[in-house]
């Protein structure tokens, strides 16, 4: 798990799976979370609207953009005026020392900025803030569920069809 953001009626995850079992992961997650919330609130029914959608993201070209999009979602939705003020996202785990979530892997993203841990967090925060002026939406930029270069799209399409690249 690289990033998450829990919104009032949906959530975003940036994760990598070793096997193509994303549907099973989402089924288990949604069932468990729905049961938890409904029991806590003494209610029944859906917690989030709609079915889950997934987009395969090419790490080299779109990983950081999608990570930033997820973290900035509450600000752009008008829920908070600063990404640091939103408690239900992984953003704080990237910039605050000692606030590790065991299943959250921040190293790949932070490592793209610098080898120095202090600079990593500073540059990550600057990169995130710069995203407020950027119009990027993975839903709009994806093509047939794939967000990446033409080469990535061809390779992934072959893999999904069972053809070895």
């Amino acid at each position: 798990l690289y990033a998450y953001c829990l919104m009032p009626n949906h959530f975003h995850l940036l994760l990598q799976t070793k096997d193509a079992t994303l549907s099973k992961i989402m089924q288990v997650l949604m069932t468990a979370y729905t049961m938890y919330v409904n029991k806590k609130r003494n209610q029944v029914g859906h917690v989030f609207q709609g079915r889950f959608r997934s987009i395969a993201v090419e790490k080299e070209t779109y990983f950081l953009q999608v990570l930033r999009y997820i973290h900035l979602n509450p600000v752009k939705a008008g829920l908070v005026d600063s990404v640091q003020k939103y408690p239900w996202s992984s953003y704080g785990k990237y910039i605050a020392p000692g606030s590790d979530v065991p299943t959250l892997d921040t190293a790949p993203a932070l490592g793209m900025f610098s080898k120095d841990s202090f600079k990593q967090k500073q540059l990550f925060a600057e990169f995130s803030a710069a995203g407020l002026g950027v119009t990027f939406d993975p839903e709009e930029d994806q093509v047939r569920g794939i967000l990446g270069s033409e080469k990535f799209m061809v390779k992934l399409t072959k893999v999904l069809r069972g053809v070895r690249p």
Side-chain angles (χ1 to χ4, degrees):
L1 177 64
Y2 299 115
Y4 65 86
C5 184
L6 183 63
M7 300 290 283
N9 64 349
H10 68 282
F11 64 92
H12 298 274
L13 299 175
L14 180 57
L15 55 91
Q16 180 177 353
T17 61
K18 292 184 182 186
D19 300 313
T21 58
L22 187 57
S23 293
K24 188 64 176 171
I25 291 168
M26 294 306 296
Q27 179 186 17
V28 170
L29 177 66
M30 293 301 297
T31 300
Y33 187 74
T34 299
M35 290 172 62
Y36 166 78
V37 169
N38 284 342
K39 184 175 183 176
K40 188 174 180 174
R41 295 179 181 168
N42 196 27
Q43 65 185 33
V44 296
H46 298 282
V47 174
F48 297 110
Q49 67 185 33
R51 296 176 52 99
F52 92 92
R53 294 184 306 269
S54 65
I55 299 172
V57 177
E58 184 176 25
K59 210 171 202 177
E60 293 77 16
T61 56
Y62 283 101
F63 177 75
L64 288 176
Q65 287 186 62
V66 172
L67 186 77
R68 177 169 64 185
Y69 170 83
I70 289 171
H71 288 150
L72 292 179
N73 208 258
V75 177
K76 291 189 174 186
L79 299 175
V80 290
D81 59 2
S82 168
V83 66
Q84 294 91 342
K85 293 180 181 176
Y86 197 72
W88 299 285
S89 85
S90 54
Y91 181 81
K93 312 318 183 256
Y94 275 87
I95 59 165
S99 60
D100 295 329
V101 173
T103 56
L104 187 68
D105 189 0
T106 60
L110 292 175
M112 291 178 176
F113 290 98
S114 173
K115 291 182 180 183
D116 176 83
S117 63
F118 177 77
K119 278 191 171 187
Q120 286 176 344
K121 293 172 184 183
Q122 178 186 358
L123 293 171
F124 177 81
E126 290 172 9
F127 172 77
S128 297
L132 290 171
V134 175
T135 303
F136 170 75
D137 186 342
E139 279 289 323
E140 293 177 12
D141 292 358
Q142 58 88 22
V143 177
R144 296 186 315 272
I146 302 171
L147 187 59
S149 66
E150 186 67 33
K151 183 178 178 182
F152 177 73
M153 294 173 84
V154 169
K155 181 180 177 183
L156 187 57
T157 302
K158 286 180 181 178
V159 169
L160 293 173
R161 288 186 182 150
V163 178
R164 294 184 68 87

